[in-house]
Amino acid sequence: MRKPRLFTPGPTPVPEHVLLRMAEPIIHHRHAEFIALMERVNRHLQTLFCTTQPVLTLTASGTGAAEAAMTTLFKEGEKGININNGKFAERWGKMMKTFGMTAIDVEIPWGNAIETEQLRDVLKQHPDASSVWLVHSETSTGTYTNICEMARTVRETLPNALVCIDGITSIGAHECRMDEWDIDVVMTGSQKGLMIPPGLAFVALSERAWQKAASFKSRNFYFDLKKAREAWQEHSTPWTPAVSLVCGLAPALEMMMEEGIENIWHRHATLSRGLRSGFEALNLKLYGTSPSHAVSVAYLPEKGGKDFVKLLKKDLGITVIGGQDQLKDVIFRTSHLGYYDEADMLGALGAMEHALHRIGHEFEAGKGVYAAQRVFLEAARR
Ligand SMILES: *Cc1c(COP(=O)(O)O)cnc(C)c1O
């Protein structure tokens, strides 16, 4: 017998009581019971996004939130600057082109984040850009970008450009203060930090962004955020929402509210630090220069590395995920986004030691667990 354990940065594990809630008999989305549920959910989402703006719930995966924001806010021919430092960032540039926008793709080597000076230079070269797209936590490479700094840089250099943030694996992992940092668009998805299955996307727009949206005729229908905002005022959605997922979302958000968002950010930082020091102690080289608190990335061992991920899954029940494109068979990614605690990290490291031993990797058994435990004990003392 092996207990299946999911360590992927989306979908992420779902707490048992949340799963049970989603198995309850379906309720009708225009009924008072659902409206009351939505009212609570909407309030908690605002706390999570650190905003007083509506956080709109869409029935889609995370990409749907980006498409909704893009088509609600920008017309054909508008220029968008896309800071492209990974597989997800790349997607937003492609999406701009699909919708007839001019995409300025700023390529940053994978595993790295853009720096302030570099961003300022790009902005100066494109004073006519009406948006700047940044990925807070680039899940393909485990890279964190300092959005507080970057948002400030955009505001200073191109005051009218909208700052659009892919917060899909940063919301619920990294500090992200939409209003205080003056961000115009923040989006996330349900299967990441929110601890429920895939199927819901969330997006919030600033006052500046809403004004822009109001300045032209909608060119979308299902994903028209103006319609979603109108329905939001009534704690409703314009179309049938994924009712069962919303029923799960409520207790998941209540768990988060009980822990407190600052404590959640702190927990993710600690888990990430612990896991990374475990990897280093096992002679696994860390990938990238700016680690995300949602997912930790290390190079696969040279010897037998290709079998490592498969062996972990098949013989030890642990699902981690490999790399994409040029990182295929080069790295592996381990999530600590959402429903994870210290014991999960110690368990994962223990299983990894087992798998590493099987593929003949050179390391001292127990050292990975020991290194992570030291980080956790030190964090618990504070
Ligand atoms: C998962 C993810 C997405 C895409 O979300 P889907 O839910 O697959 O549409 C976009 N950006 C980042 C950073 C992600 O981790």
Side-chain angles (χ1 to χ4, degrees), residues 9 61-63 88 91-92 135 137-139 166 168-169 191-192:
S61 76
T63 307
F88 288 107
R91 185 175 294 178
W92 312 138
V135 179
S137 161
E138 173 50 71
T139 319
D166 171 348
I168 298 182
T169 56
Q191 79 278 27
K192 311 274 175 142

Side-chain angles (χ1 to χ4, degrees), residues 273-352:
R273 234 169 348 105
L275 191 64
R276 279 183 284 123
S277 52
F279 285 163
E280 286 188 298
L282 296 176
N283 304 327
L284 292 171
K285 189 168 173 265
L286 299 177
Y287 175 84
T289 57
S290 177
S292 159
H293 292 168
V295 53
S296 290
V297 183
Y299 287 92
L300 288 163
E302 264 168 41
K303 195 165 113 200
K306 276 193 180 160
D307 300 325
F308 179 65
V309 172
K310 261 184 259 151
L311 189 65
L312 267 180
K313 167 112 174 76
K314 196 169 126 286
D315 290 0
L316 296 150
I318 302 274
T319 304
V320 297
I321 190 146
Q324 297 157 285
D325 291 0
Q326 69 259 39
L327 294 179
K328 190 172 186 292
D329 293 327
V330 176
I331 56 155
F332 70 100
R333 297 174 290 154
T334 310
S335 163
H336 25 76
L337 174 61
Y339 189 46
Y340 292 102
D341 62 12
E342 288 86 347
D344 290 318
M345 296 303 116
L346 297 172
L349 280 165
M352 284 175 187

Side-chain angles (χ1 to χ4, degrees), residues 234-246:
E234 316 286 316
H235 311 301
S236 185
T237 53
W239 330 116
T240 309
V243 173
S244 302
L245 291 175
V246 176

Side-chain angles (χ1 to χ4, degrees), residues 45-113:
L45 285 169
Q46 287 176 310
T47 306
L48 184 65
F49 275 55
C50 301
T51 187
T52 57
Q53 293 291 340
V55 179
L56 307 169
T57 299
L58 313 177
T59 297
S61 76
T63 307
E67 180 153 335
M70 201 177 276
T71 52
T72 298
L73 289 169
F74 307 104
K75 289 174 288 203
E76 279 191 24
E78 285 195 60
K79 189 190 261 192
I81 296 175
N82 184 44
I83 308 306
N84 179 357
N85 67 338
K87 195 73 187 156
F88 288 107
E90 182 186 68
R91 185 175 294 178
W92 312 138
K94 286 185 182 165
M95 192 182 270
M96 283 180 204
K97 288 178 200 138
T98 302
F99 291 114
M101 295 168 65
T102 304
I104 304 299
D105 237 347
V106 181
E107 289 200 24
I108 308 292
W110 282 27
N112 295 281

